[in-house]
Amino acid sequence: HTRYWRDWSSDVCSSDLPNRPGRGEIFLSSTYRDLHRQRSVAEKLIGKAGMRLVDEPRRGTAPVIPRAMMLLEIDRADAYVGILGWRYGSRDPATGLAYTELEYSHAVGQGKPILIMLADAEASFSAADLDTDAEAFTRIRAFRERVCEAHEVVRFGNDAQLQAGLRRGLDAFEL
C-alpha cells in the first residue's frame, strides 16, 4: 500500500513505505541531452543532502548501461527521482520504451518512494532539446500525463524552482 504525503503548499510527492532501509541511495533518472544542467543540479543537491546516487561508482564510465544492470540499480536504490522535460529520449530496443519511462515503471513496480520533477511551460529549452518527431512527442506527452495522474509532481521553470522543490522532496524522503 502506498501513501502520499503533502506537507507544504507546492506540489511534491513521495510514497511513504514502512520498514524501508535507510541507506539514502537515490536512483536519478532523466534524459541527458536536454537535462544535463538540471541533472547536475540534482546530483549536487543529493550529495549535499547526505544521500548518494546509486550509480556513483560507474558515473561517467558508460553513456548507456545494459537494461539488466539499470534495473538492479533501481532495485538497490532507496528512492527514485525523475526529472522530465520535453524529450522522450533513447529507447530500449527490447521494449521500445524510453529508458526514463522504463526506469520509472520499474521503480513504481518495486514500490520505491517517487519524486518527480517536471519541466513546465516556463522552462527554457533550445529547439534541439525538444522532440520534433511526432511519435516521440506523442510518447513524451503520454508519459508526462501518466506520471501526473499517478503522482503529485514538482513543476519547475528554472533552476531555483528545481532546487527548492528537490530539496523539499529529498528532505521528505526520510532515508
Side-chain angles (χ1 to χ4, degrees):
H1 180 253
T2 301
R3 259 186 9 224
Y4 292 96
W5 52 264
R6 186 173 184 159
D7 60 356
W8 58 80
S9 61
S10 72
D11 293 331
V12 179
C13 80
S14 172
S15 27
D16 180 11
L17 303 174
N19 303 319
R20 292 188 302 225
R23 295 184 314 267
E25 292 187 306
I26 306 295
F27 187 90
L28 179 60
S29 177
S30 73
T31 51
Y32 182 77
R33 191 167 92 188
D34 57 330
L35 295 170
H36 57 90
R37 188 184 78 248
Q38 292 85 349
R39 186 176 179 93
S40 179
V41 166
E43 290 170 355
K44 289 175 186 166
L45 276 173
I46 287 166
K48 285 181 181 179
M51 298 173 188
R52 173 175 188 276
L53 294 170
V54 170
D55 64 347
E56 272 180 332
R58 70 154 178 84
R59 183 156 298 284
T61 61
V64 176
I65 62 171
R67 183 180 55 186
M69 182 185 288
M70 173 198 60
L71 298 177
L72 286 173
E73 287 182 350
I74 295 168
D75 292 344
R76 198 177 90 214
D78 294 305
Y80 168 95
V81 174
I83 306 173
L84 300 179
W86 291 100
R87 177 174 214 73
Y88 193 59
S90 300
R91 295 183 197 180
D92 171 48
T95 64
L97 294 175
Y99 286 103
T100 51
E101 187 166 9
L102 185 64
E103 292 161 354
Y104 166 78
S105 296
H106 189 73
V108 168
Q110 294 296 310
K112 301 293 178 185
I114 305 285
L115 174 62
I116 300 292
M117 310 298 298
L118 191 73
D120 65 17
E122 304 294 314
S124 175
F125 291 103
S126 72
D129 294 334
L130 305 174
D131 272 324
T132 55
D133 172 80
E135 180 192 358
F137 187 72
T138 299
R139 284 180 175 240
I140 189 59
R141 285 188 58 192
F143 180 34
R144 288 170 58 98
E145 288 171 14
R146 177 177 157 217
V147 167
C148 288
E149 288 172 6
H151 308 281
E152 294 179 40
V153 300
V154 178
R155 294 181 186 273
F156 69 93
N158 58 48
D159 287 354
Q161 293 169 345
L162 174 69
Q163 290 172 350
L166 185 57
R167 192 173 294 117
R168 287 189 307 262
L170 292 173
D171 287 346
F173 274 154
E174 298 178 9
L175 301 179

